[in-house]
Amino acid sequence: MTTAATKTIDEIRTGLESRSLTATALAEEHYARIAAEDGQINSFLALSRERALAKAAAIDDLAALGDPLPLLAGVPVGIKDVLAMQGSPATAGSKILAAYMPPYDATAVKKLDAAGAILLGKLNCDEFAMGSSNENSAYGPVRNPRALDRVPGGSSGGSAAAVAAGFAVATLGTDTGGSIRQPAAFCGVVGLLPTYGRVSRYGLIAFASSLDRVGPVTNSVKDAATVLKVLAGQDPLDATSSDRPADDYVASLTKPVAGLKVGVPAEYFGEGLDPEIRAAVEKTIAQLETAGCTIVPVHLPHTKYAVPTYYVIATAEASSNLSRFDGVRFGHRTESPANLSAMYKKTRDEAFGPEVKRRILLGTYVLSAGYYDAYYRKAQQVRALITRDFLEAFVQVDVIVGPMTPTPAFKIGEKSDDPMAMYLADIYSVAASLAGICGISVPCGTTAEGLPIGVQIMGKHFDESTVLRVGAAVESAQA
Amino acid sequence: MSETAVVTLEDVSHVAELANLELTAEELPHMQHNLNAILGYITQLNELDTTGVPAMAQVGEMLGSEVHLHGETLRPDAIKPSLDRAAVMAAAPETDGKFFKVPKVIER
């Protein structure tokens, strides 16, 4: 299908200020596009038309008065369905939460709303954000707008597909092991992973709490910087959110990249990397060198241990977090159980999909008596080694650049029967997740078949400004 | 952790019981196969000597004083309005308007 070009956040602001555009018309235009084309893609699970149009009318009133407009005035956005948004369901892509309507907004959603964004609705995702392909949603798979027979990536596949298809100007995704960056790479859009603690997780349905992060998916690096500016900051409702002051991410984009040291880890260019992706990423690194960056080889020796470490820690935390879904407090409950134990088990059996069950079982196993030290504690120790690799590399360099994914978007169904093959699709994304550092995926070319390729730029904790700056340089080199 | 993780069907049933999951007769061997494949892959962590390496549960622990620690600022101990009761009750499958109603599941 042809993917529609949408306006940038700056263009929307200029249009509203000059009265050549209204927020209401823009929202209606996006809803019309969703109605006409999302039947093929399945990115939206619910539309919040009433809330969106009321907000759009309020923004149009502000513009008519000539009052200063908030940062995201009139910007049509979509929200991944693992985040709470008042007045809309929050299913987390699961049958167990089919009827759940949160009575409040997640902090990230509240901040978008306060900044004048138009909240279009809720976006499809892998069940409880568990997946690399968006084939694990109880509401059907999402298709990649760039190639409808292919996956959009997961678990924020709906968030990336909606931006790529022109259904929204920006969306919120969540990233636990790569779930913003990997779908952004597969769909040819920008996906930003903020540092752990930079954006509040309040109102996010938890998957793995020490890893989960909320971040934007956009068409451009500048749009990502603008949305992060809105989202960043400490939240008293999330004790893990950092009190470190946020930078002016948009202003930092104007600084040149010349003089920055760009680390290139050999471990990210080994066996299994698609040759077209290797070529595109190497070309991007050469472009950064031309722009005045110094290219420095770095070593991240524990890279090969990131996927096994991730799957121990993430599943252990998931098994604990998902124990709350027992039929008593949230969502689906089985009919006429014989006793309490049967109610828990039948409820969970009926409503959880196979990937969620697999991860709960794995997580319970690695936490169970006799295995805790051997698996969980060991993985936590290796997590420290992986983080140390990055801290040592960042003594020498400002950012680390490498491929985002080992292959371009794969075909729907291609890996769904082989969990190990699917887990290895995250090989370049999980290390940054474990280390808590920030990162971004920026489009850097396409394959001969026309499938998007993303380059990953990783940065120091809380140094989103530099990551975005380098991302903007990569983006401008593509033009 | 053994070099070749061998999860038996009994292990899968035991873990399913702990996790409050009911697996069908068809699901059990399938999950056993998957768990063995994944745990077999995870055993490569044994190649690493982690003696003396601290376990890392949260990223803030690794950053120490380089950045502000997470959660340093406590909320004031003040009474504030919470969620509106009617809005919360509206989300429940069954309510008497004041409390959630859950079905009786324990026989006397």
Side-chain angles (χ1 to χ4, degrees):
Chain A
M1 70 180 286
T2 316
T3 48
T6 54
K7 291 179 169 55
T8 65
I9 293 173
D10 279 351
E11 285 166 352
I12 292 169
R13 165 172 296 276
T14 309
L16 291 173
E17 283 171 348
S18 68
R19 312 296 312 278
S20 62
L21 178 73
T22 68
T24 304
L26 193 62
E28 292 286 15
E29 184 193 314
H30 282 78
Y31 278 130
R33 197 175 292 155
I34 292 164
E37 297 175 19
D38 199 34
Q40 297 183 77
I41 294 174
N42 198 28
S43 67
F44 273 92
L45 292 179
L47 300 176
S48 44
R49 182 181 279 274
E50 201 176 315
R51 179 173 174 166
L53 294 178
K55 184 77 183 185
I59 295 293
D60 288 335
D61 288 346
L62 265 186
L65 292 168
D67 286 352
L69 295 173
L71 206 56
L72 298 179
V75 177
V77 301
I79 308 293
K80 184 175 178 180
D81 209 25
V82 288
L83 287 154
M85 179 174 152
Q86 195 171 8
S88 295
T91 69
S94 181
K95 278 196 283 186
I96 208 160
L97 285 176
Y100 177 54
M101 296 278 281
Y104 67 105
D105 281 343
T107 296
V109 173
K110 190 182 263 185
K111 284 188 165 191
L112 292 182
D113 184 60
I118 310 302
L119 307 173
L120 296 174
K122 303 299 292 291
L123 292 158
N124 205 349
C125 57
D126 280 306
E127 185 175 4
F128 288 103
M130 296 179 187
S132 306
S133 65
N134 218 132
E135 292 168 290
N136 298 326
S137 168
Y139 306 97
V142 176
R143 291 177 179 273
N144 190 322
R146 313 279 183 194
L148 290 173
D149 59 339
R150 295 190 182 253
V151 303
S155 64
S156 309
S159 302
V163 172
F167 300 155
V169 170
T171 56
L172 285 188
T174 61
D175 193 315
T176 306
S179 288
I180 289 173
R181 294 161 289 154
Q182 183 253 28
F186 279 4
C187 292
V189 293
V190 173
L192 175 67
L193 169 78
T195 306
Y196 186 83
R198 183 69 297 171
V199 176
S200 170
R201 289 181 294 114
Y202 178 73
L204 165 64
I205 297 166
F207 161 15
S209 308
S210 81
L211 298 160
D212 292 344
R213 295 185 235 170
V214 179
V217 181
T218 56
N219 278 306
S220 72
V221 174
K222 189 172 186 188
D223 280 2
T226 308
V227 178
L228 181 64
K229 191 173 173 178
V230 169
L231 297 177
Q234 192 181 24
D235 178 10
L237 300 173
D238 174 3
T240 61
S241 72
S242 173
D243 59 358
R244 193 179 163 107
D247 296 337
D248 188 340
Y249 304 109
V250 181
S252 69
L253 297 180
T254 56
K255 292 187 197 161
V257 293
L260 288 179
K261 289 183 182 158
V262 173
V264 179
E267 292 84 357
Y268 280 56
F269 292 85
E271 200 185 331
L273 177 60
D274 179 275
E276 287 187 287
I277 293 184
R278 174 194 289 268
V281 173
E282 285 175 348
K283 186 177 161 197
T284 302
I285 292 166
Q287 287 166 337
L288 288 172
E289 192 168 23
T290 306
C293 298
T294 307
I295 309 301
V296 182
V298 290
H299 281 292
L300 301 169
H302 297 95
T303 298
K304 69 176 270 202
Y305 302 104
V307 171
T309 301
Y310 172 79
Y311 277 95
V312 173
I313 290 173
T315 59
E317 293 186 20
S319 73
S320 172
N321 275 326
L322 270 60
S323 64
R324 74 190 64 170
F325 300 106
D326 55 10
V328 176
R329 288 164 290 180
F330 300 95
H332 173 78
R333 176 186 296 147
T334 191
E335 297 278 337
S336 314
N339 53 47
L340 187 64
S341 175
M343 188 188 83
Y344 292 156
K345 289 179 188 166
K346 284 189 176 297
T347 293
R348 288 158 69 83
D349 183 55
E350 287 165 8
F352 283 148
E355 183 60 32
V356 170
K357 286 183 192 169
R358 183 156 46 228
R359 294 197 193 198
I360 290 174
L361 286 175
L362 182 62
T364 306
Y365 185 86
V366 300
L367 288 176
S368 62
Y371 298 107
Y372 179 93
D373 282 338
Y375 288 106
Y376 185 61
R377 193 178 145 72
K378 181 84 180 177
Q380 285 191 313
Q381 289 175 309
V382 181
R383 184 179 186 182
L385 295 176
I386 290 166
T387 306
R388 207 178 279 171
D389 284 355
F390 280 110
L391 293 176
E392 285 170 7
F394 284 130
V395 172
Q396 303 171 60
V397 297
D398 298 295
V399 292
I400 293 173
V401 173
M404 190 65 251
T405 59
T407 66
F410 44 89
K411 291 205 166 147
I412 290 172
E414 191 179 321
K415 297 188 184 190
S416 43
D417 290 334
D418 184 353
M420 272 317 304
M422 190 71 90
Y423 295 173
L424 288 167
D426 296 336
I427 196 156
Y428 301 128
S429 61
V430 290
S433 301
L434 290 164
I437 60 172
C438 57
I440 195 168
S441 178
V442 179
C444 71
T446 51
T447 65
E449 257 188 287
L451 299 171
I453 297 172
V455 63
Q456 174 168 222
I457 302 150
M458 294 175 274
K460 295 172 196 170
H461 296 98
F462 299 103
D463 193 17
E464 286 84 358
S465 287
T466 307
V467 160
L468 287 159
R469 228 164 106 199
V470 176
V474 168
E475 188 176 64
S476 64
Q478 309 303 313
Chain B
M1 179 180 355
S2 63
E3 283 304 309
T4 47
V6 179
V7 180
T8 63
L9 279 176
E10 288 69 35
D11 292 334
V12 182
S13 295
H14 175 62
V15 172
E17 183 72 27
L18 291 175
N20 276 323
L21 283 173
E22 187 177 79
L23 299 182
T24 62
E26 295 79 45
E27 279 178 313
L28 269 172
H30 190 60
M31 286 295 181
Q32 182 198 16
H33 172 77
N34 286 163
L35 287 187
N36 273 321
I38 299 164
L39 289 166
Y41 180 68
I42 287 168
T43 55
Q44 65 177 299
L45 297 183
N46 280 343
E47 295 166 9
L48 292 170
D49 179 5
T50 50
T51 312
V53 177
M56 174 183 168
Q58 276 281 346
V59 62
E61 296 165 9
M62 285 290 287
L63 301 178
S65 58
E66 287 175 41
V67 295
H68 297 241
L69 291 172
H70 296 313
E72 273 181 334
T73 313
L74 299 177
R75 276 181 266 163
D77 184 15
I79 297 171
K80 287 191 302 183
S82 188
L83 290 170
D84 176 66
R85 183 175 212 137
V88 174
M89 289 298 151
E94 227 185 324
T95 168
D96 65 2
K98 196 171 180 188
F99 295 108
F100 296 118
K101 285 175 83 173
V102 294
K104 182 175 160 185
V105 287
I106 302 169
E107 296 300 327
R108 283 175 186 270

